[in-house]
Amino acid sequence: MSDIPPLIEGRMVTMRIAVTGSSGLIGTALVRSLREDGHQVVRLVRRSPRAEDEAEWDPRRQWVDTAGLMGCEAVFHLAGAGVGDRRWTDAYKKEIRDSRVLGTAAIAEAIASLDTPPRVLVSGSAIGFYGDTGERAVDESAPPGHGFLPDVCQDWEEAAGAAQEAGVRTAFARTGLVISAEGGAWGRLFPLFKLGLGGRMGSGHQYWSFIALRDHIAALRHILDTPELTGPVNLTAPTPVTNREITAAMGRVLGRPTLFSVPAPALRIALGEMSGDVLGSVRAVPRRLLDSGFTFAYPHVDEAIKAALTQEG
């Protein structure tokens, strides 16, 4: 039985959908996509509401104004401190973890407390779950890796337990590197490459599992509409490539030289522990998306880069 509303005279019934992290790169694009299709979106914000479509929550206090969730068919939980926004001090590592684990627990418990909970929770996660996989391709059946990010991802997903125990279909969107010129890690790469200052990082042999922003939004919508998708779902393109190959693709698409490179020791000095995320290799493949019939519009990196430059906004 489908857990989305049925068709009426060939038209999908619109839904009330709550979204956390709605001001971020992915959240902004998702809200726009949902509204374009006529859905009513409630944006959960960490301040007093300023608009009718907002409801307040506080992940640190693990508090949610459940009035904003009432009547929602689905919740997309995308909030979390940016992994690449700052150097990983002990304090910022705690913020990265707490923003995900405490926030997810708050949303899951709020959902479970409702007399009529949403049918679906799509909760953010990351391919950092797998750790450094080298050249080995991994799908959703792979075990967790070792280190800070794998530990955070495990705790992050486990924090949704209250929603799962309440019978809410729960999927974890394990996101790769999102190719976008509008923000995120890739948004910081584009200006460098446009100036001819881009180049490989470290050896360049490490795999960067990417996904075009538009494919990412389409995949989130696909999870919402596909009842059999529960648990982890890799949101990465089916053709992961190395940092060296990405560097060459950026040069081809932008028509700029890629002569520069950043040696691994320099990255470790500049980024500290976070350099492991840049130099590490995660060759993740979207097995569950493909098996469930999802079609990527931009499966190859050149296409995804061109889409980021010409089709966003």
Side-chain angles (χ1 to χ4, degrees), residues 66-92:
T66 54
L69 298 177
M70 290 181 181
C72 287
E73 294 279 353
V75 175
F76 285 96
H77 173 47
L78 308 174
V83 171
D85 288 356
R86 302 182 203 168
R87 190 182 180 91
W88 287 2
T89 62
D90 288 344
Y92 195 62

Side-chain angles (χ1 to χ4, degrees), residues 196-209:
L197 301 176
R200 64 175 173 80
M201 298 184 183
S203 71
H205 295 304
Q206 68 272 31
Y207 275 88
W208 281 16
S209 296

Side-chain angles (χ1 to χ4, degrees), residues 125-130 148-158:
S125 186
I127 60 171
F129 177 93
Y130 305 110
F148 173 65
L149 286 181
D151 289 348
V152 167
C153 289
Q154 289 178 78
D155 292 344
W156 191 3
E157 294 181 8
E158 290 173 2

